[in-house]
Amino acid sequence: DAGVIQSPRHEVTEMGQEVTLRCKPISGHDYLFWYRQTMMRGLELLIYFNNNVPIDDSGMPEDRFSAKMPNASFSTLKIQPSEPRDSAVYFCASSPGLAGIAKNIQYFGAGTRLSVL
Amino acid sequence: AQKVTQAQTEISVVEKEDVTLDCVYETRDTTYYLFWYKQPPSGELVFLIRRNSFDEQNEISGRYSWNFQKSTSSFNFTITASQVVDSAVYFCALSESGGSEKLVFGKGTKLTVNP
């Protein structure tokens, strides 16, 4: 399997612009997670989905952030409008869920480095 | 509430030294999972190990070993005969039972192995 695929790898945008980050999870994984990593706050869970349904979005910082998972092989994280404080590395991860040998293990994509000027 | 503490922010060693990365966790659950991930300079997060709360056996994988002690709520990671390629940030993480699948990460320990 190709692993979790994120695009773009780098995104530079100006304050006020809309940003869309994309993620393709590992095929067959039931769970998908979005994280944000900053020097100040470390790795923070933003939202996660189970079978395409959002389960917990308590980590989403504010209404400017939204996430969707229209099908089992694709998810987006959107920031509108973007602000300089949103600059961070955003990771997507997927997990096969609670069954099997890889139970609970999350596999991460390479991340998207976002810079908002 | 669940919490993971990695008290060592940065560690610097010389190649071939052994090094131990500390991880202390807090949870009210009796069933939980502990993890270590590696983040090399290239930035990706690489899964290293998962341990469940009922299995306190130490584990060894090549130069890596893990010591899980429920009595002290610790899950420490030792690299034997460190190499320059071990230089990375290492994260300890905790997942409680109940099917939430949420991982709580420590702040990470940056390990630098000098030649």
Side-chain angles (χ1 to χ4, degrees):
Chain A
D1 202 317
V4 176
I5 300 172
Q6 292 187 246
S7 64
R9 290 295 312 278
H10 302 274
E11 177 81 30
V12 181
T13 191
E14 292 189 347
M15 183 174 63
Q17 296 298 306
E18 177 179 296
V19 175
T20 299
L21 311 181
R22 297 172 175 79
C23 176
K24 176 179 168 54
I26 294 172
S27 177
H29 282 192
D30 295 332
Y31 287 82
L32 184 139
F33 306 81
W34 282 101
Y35 290 87
R36 179 172 67 176
Q37 185 179 33
T38 60
M39 288 295 293
M40 291 295 294
R41 301 173 69 92
L43 271 162
E44 304 174 275
L45 176 65
L46 300 177
I47 185 171
Y48 77 95
F49 297 82
N50 180 23
N51 292 323
N52 313 338
V53 176
I55 302 301
D56 186 344
D57 65 354
S58 59
M60 295 285 262
E62 47 197 276
D63 292 346
R64 298 184 297 106
F65 285 69
S66 62
K68 293 182 180 179
M69 192 166 185
N71 57 61
S73 59
F74 184 65
S75 177
T76 60
L77 177 68
K78 187 176 292 187
I79 309 173
Q80 167 62 21
S82 57
E83 296 182 3
R85 59 191 167 125
D86 301 330
S87 297
V89 180
Y90 291 81
F91 286 101
C92 176
S94 70
S95 167
L98 303 177
I101 194 169
K103 177 178 176 177
N104 276 39
I105 298 173
Q106 293 185 21
Y107 297 90
F108 284 75
T112 296
R113 183 174 295 276
L114 173 64
S115 298
V116 183
L117 307 178
Chain B
Q2 50 185 328
K3 183 180 177 182
V4 176
T5 302
Q6 296 180 255
Q8 305 150 307
T9 306
E10 292 193 41
I11 300 176
S12 182
V13 300
V14 177
E15 213 170 12
K16 299 185 183 176
E17 282 186 35
D18 298 348
V19 57
T20 296
L21 310 182
D22 297 334
C23 173
V24 174
Y25 62 91
E26 294 177 29
T27 177
R28 293 182 195 153
D29 276 15
T30 55
T31 303
Y32 51 89
Y33 296 85
L34 295 163
F35 302 79
W36 278 94
Y37 282 83
K38 174 182 180 179
Q39 187 174 39
S42 51
E44 73 275 21
L45 278 154
V46 179
F47 165 76
L48 295 178
I49 189 173
R50 176 200 63 200
R51 216 75 187 130
N52 74 54
S53 53
F54 297 108
D55 183 1
E56 288 193 73
Q57 276 194 335
N58 292 333
E59 181 155 342
I60 298 173
S61 176
R63 296 183 297 104
Y64 293 174
S65 62
W66 291 269
N67 181 268
F68 176 29
Q69 292 196 341
K70 287 177 76 170
S71 60
T72 56
S73 298
S74 65
F75 185 43
N76 297 336
F77 173 29
T78 297
I79 302 174
T80 302
S82 59
Q83 300 176 1
V84 172
V85 293
D86 296 326
S87 297
V89 180
Y90 291 87
F91 292 93
C92 182
L94 166 71
S95 175
E96 292 179 333
S97 67
S100 73
E101 291 279 329
K102 291 171 68 168
L103 276 180
V104 171
F105 283 87
K107 294 293 187 187
T109 296
K110 182 178 180 181
L111 173 65
T112 301
V113 182
N114 298 298

